[in-house]
Amino acid sequence: MGTPDDAKAKAAATYNAAADFYDDPANSFWDRFGRKTIELLRLPLGARVLDACCGAGASAIPAAEKVGPQGFVLGIDLAQNLLTLARTKAGARGLKNIEFRLADVLDPAVPESQFDAVVCVFGIFFIPDMPAAVRALWRVVRPGGRLAITTWGPNFFEPGS
């Protein structure tokens, strides 16, 4: 079994290689589930949101639209090519309340308790230590805030509980 750094490097390489085809119609589930996760959160105007494993912005962009110009969304990912794609898509929509950064979920490089909501859509299971990732995400949620993690199926976290 490789190290956590090996897993990060492999994930980044895989998703950087896939970036050119990430928005192919066959991959429309990213947008569908990203948007649905944001809808379920019922984000208020002005909210601050972190999207961990943001990819090409499938949940970050709908979040930025939902929180309005008074709000702020930060998307983080290990794949620079996907971040570039996300920036392009956000720019095409005229969104100025969103930022995309190269960062790791285990060390997102943001102060604690800064976000009203943190989302991670189909990304948590790429992190070898999922319980540590969930703890890292909870640390940046403000008191009373929400953490939304979307996974492939029921009972996914049973081994990590």
Side-chain angles (χ1 to χ4, degrees):
M1 182 182 245
T3 68
D5 286 339
D6 292 339
K8 286 184 226 176
K10 184 177 181 180
T14 299
Y15 281 95
N16 277 325
D20 290 341
F21 302 99
Y22 213 71
D23 286 334
D24 186 271
N27 294 329
S28 65
F29 68 92
W30 292 112
D31 287 331
R32 185 171 63 252
F33 285 99
R35 187 166 298 282
K36 184 64 175 179
T37 300
I38 296 306
E39 287 172 10
L40 290 171
L41 279 171
R42 295 185 188 100
L43 297 167
L45 288 174
R48 293 179 52 82
V49 179
L50 173 68
D51 183 2
C53 304
C54 69
S59 44
I61 290 170
E65 292 169 341
K66 188 73 175 167
V67 302
Q70 313 91 320
F72 174 72
V73 176
L74 173 60
I76 62 170
D77 203 287
L78 292 173
Q80 187 63 53
N81 293 353
L82 289 180
L83 293 169
T84 299
L85 181 57
R87 286 184 197 105
T88 299
K89 290 162 67 174
R93 288 173 174 77
L95 296 171
K96 304 219 184 293
N97 63 337
I98 192 167
E99 179 183 338
F100 294 97
R101 287 187 206 159
L102 190 65
D104 181 2
V105 170
L106 294 172
D107 182 15
V110 295
E112 290 187 15
S113 304
Q114 291 297 302
F115 295 95
D116 300 297
V118 174
V119 300
C120 185
V121 178
F122 297 136
I124 198 79
F125 35 67
F126 294 107
I127 302 162
D129 189 347
M130 286 186 285
V134 172
R135 286 190 301 273
L137 294 174
W138 268 121
R139 277 195 294 274
V140 300
V141 177
R142 70 162 177 77
R146 301 173 75 188
L147 173 62
I149 297 176
T150 305
T151 64
W152 296 118
N155 306 322
F156 189 80
F157 282 110
E158 280 188 5
S161 299

